[in-house]
Amino acid sequence: MSRLVVVSNRVAPIDEGKQAAGGLAVAVLAALKKTGGIWFGWSGTVVEEESQSEPRRTDVGRLTYATLDLSRRDFEEYYNGFANQTLWPLFHYRVGLIEVSRRTREGYKRVNGYFAEKLVPLLSPDDMVWVHDYHLIPFGEELRQRGCTQRMGFFLHTPFPAPEILVALPNHRELIRELCAYDLVGFHTHVDLRSFADYIRQELDGEVEDRGPEGGMLIHAFGRTLLARAFPISIDTENLVGIAETAMRSRHTQRLKESLVGRRLIIGVDRLDYSKGLPQRFQAFEQLLATYPEHCNRVSFLQVAPPSREDVPEYIAIKRELSELSGRINGRFAEFDWVPIRYLNKSFGRRVLAGFYRTAHVGLVTPLRDGMNLVAKEYVACQDADDPGVLVLSTFAGAARELDSALIVNPFDIEAVADALQRALTMPLPERKERHAAMMRILRSHDIGWWRESYVDALTRAPYG
Ligand code: ADQ
């Protein structure tokens, strides 16, 4: 089997003991261990000087981690700039938030070129290169321009927007040409795949051959042929079920249970990001208390939201907004012995989170747009099958395509989300069990191992032209 070379903006911590890292890191590591290979990307370190260094290499068994630092200018233009202030809002349908600047687009291209330059000497002719996420769309073309002929795949972890949204980006055609340099392009859902195919047809007059639901679509554009297909990312289901069972005995979970003194719990867990719909979620909980006052002093809402991308102005603004909103709602409803919203800006380990999920009667996952949303899947996997909680899930999360036995909501409709919370809190046990069992069947047959294997298998079959 060919060696796998994974390229992502950030490389997971090398110390596996510390792997609180998410599903992606676990999946990528499992794939790399199977075939041996390289994990290449940014070290996470920003250095003040401009000079380009050689990758730092660490070998762990058959696996090599190769990381590069970013200069301050590269970090500002590539990471904070084009990736997180242009592509991220654009791909999440927030056209009003996009920053358009030739300087950051240049910086994005420059860093992709620099990364490609440094990877080329590490590649062997038979390697397969698997590139992750919106930071690195031009990476494959940069490799090809340097003479690389290896099989190359790309996986997008965000949504792919409808063409009408994408064309708000100046030079959108160039970005899609860069994407078409890969042999395989993977998306989370058929909705994303269809948006991509629509763009190819409408904007490029390209040709699309639909090979059916599991076969993906063959794309003919820019003189190349590639396969585009949906590969819904997932979680390590069995492993998480096991962790959640034992997590109930952990000190943190016990403390959480004791603090509730018999009250019910609604939980939300998200990176602090404007795509996650947190202000609307807080307002929906407020609406629940206002419309169904029987829940006052009987239900608590725990929102865990560690800050991310703190150098980007929109993230500073959302953090402030949420502090104010939680303060106002708590001021309105709190009693001397009950605080309605417990809002925490910090992270927890996987085991602690698993215990929290299992303790919660409702998992509230209401992004305004999300590629997949692994928290929704984790919440379901952590439930006690004999007395499961209820998932309330945004229709705009990729996960809603598979987890259609959740209570599906429109996160913009605050009154409807409040009603769904009411329904979740009063749902009879047989219905809860039935919905949970249906979702677990999907999470068991389509776990993270399935995702990794089906992607790598499709890449092995490249080229498609
Ligand atoms: P994210 O936007 O980060 O991921 P998500 O899919 O929910 O969103 O993954 C977050 C991961 O981080 C989960 O595994 C979760 O348990 C963990 N996490 C979140 N908050 C945490 C906390 N406070 N403490 C500890 N762990 C926490 C991007 C895309 C998603 C896509 C994933 C994977 O935006 O749409 O599902 O990549 O492709």
Side-chain angles (χ1 to χ4, degrees), residues 144-368:
R144 299 243 186 258
Q145 283 167 357
R146 288 166 175 77
C148 296
T149 53
Q150 285 86 350
R151 286 163 290 182
M152 291 179 204
F154 177 84
F155 187 84
L156 184 67
H157 290 265
T158 67
F160 188 90
E164 294 73 15
I165 300 285
L166 189 57
V167 296
L169 181 74
N171 304 322
H172 48 86
R173 197 184 155 97
E174 188 185 341
L175 190 79
I176 301 306
R177 187 200 67 224
E178 290 163 346
L179 195 52
C180 289
Y182 293 97
D183 299 303
L184 175 66
V185 174
F187 301 101
H188 281 308
T189 68
H190 288 101
V191 178
D192 304 310
L193 176 60
R194 201 179 53 221
S195 297
F196 179 60
D198 287 348
Y199 180 95
I200 297 289
R201 286 195 205 95
Q202 292 169 25
E203 297 293 326
L204 304 176
D205 261 339
E207 214 184 296
V208 177
E209 272 175 65
D210 195 337
R211 309 201 312 173
E214 296 302 316
M217 298 187 187
L218 275 182
I219 306 288
H220 307 277
F222 300 105
R224 301 193 77 253
T225 299
L226 56 141
L227 181 70
R229 217 191 107 177
F231 300 91
I233 201 169
S234 194
I235 55 169
D236 190 349
T237 310
E238 275 327 313
N239 181 264
L240 201 52
V241 168
I243 292 175
E245 275 166 13
T246 61
M248 290 311 277
R249 294 194 291 274
S250 78
R251 201 168 47 86
H252 274 90
T253 310
Q254 286 305 323
R255 271 178 59 194
L256 174 63
K257 282 192 109 164
E258 280 161 22
S259 75
L260 290 170
V261 277
R263 294 188 186 95
R264 316 253 253 140
L265 183 68
I266 299 170
I267 194 167
V269 175
D270 308 76
R271 259 185 324 101
L272 215 175
D273 193 298
Y274 54 77
S275 66
K276 304 291 182 183
L278 295 171
Q280 291 85 347
R281 191 183 303 174
F282 282 19
Q283 285 163 16
F285 181 65
E286 178 181 29
Q287 183 78 38
L288 172 82
L289 298 179
T291 317
Y292 305 97
E294 63 272 27
H295 295 304
C296 288
N297 213 341
R298 300 239 164 73
V299 178
S300 286
F301 171 31
L302 171 64
Q303 175 63 54
V304 180
S308 64
R309 304 174 194 168
E310 289 181 274
D311 298 316
V312 177
E314 285 75 20
Y315 289 76
I316 299 168
I318 184 92
K319 191 168 177 214
R320 185 170 329 113
E321 183 182 358
L322 288 170
S323 298
E324 286 171 10
L325 202 52
S326 59
R328 185 182 62 69
I329 297 168
N330 281 340
R332 179 175 171 196
F333 291 100
E335 296 284 347
F336 67 90
D337 60 349
W338 170 65
V339 180
I341 303 182
R342 302 177 183 190
Y343 171 50
L344 277 60
N345 287 141
K346 61 192 227 178
S347 297
F348 291 96
R350 296 191 70 68
R351 192 173 138 81
V352 174
L353 273 188
F356 287 4
Y357 287 140
R358 198 173 172 102
T359 304
H361 301 85
V362 181
L364 187 52
V365 182
T366 52
L368 307 180

Side-chain angles (χ1 to χ4, degrees), residues 6-12 24 28 39-46 66-70 74-81 83-84 88 108 111-112 115 130-137 139 154-155 157 309:
V6 171
V7 185
S8 61
N9 173 59
R10 283 296 294 273
V11 172
L24 172 65
V28 164
W39 193 345
F40 181 89
W42 176 34
S43 62
T45 301
V46 178
T67 57
L68 287 164
D69 297 339
L70 286 180
D74 288 346
F75 175 68
E76 288 302 335
E77 295 178 0
Y78 149 83
Y79 182 75
N80 279 339
N84 284 326
W88 178 270
Y108 177 72
V111 170
N112 271 270
F115 275 24
W130 186 4
V131 181
H132 289 266
D133 230 358
Y134 61 101
H135 315 83
L136 296 168
I137 292 172
F139 190 83
F154 177 84
F155 187 84
H157 290 265
R309 304 174 194 168

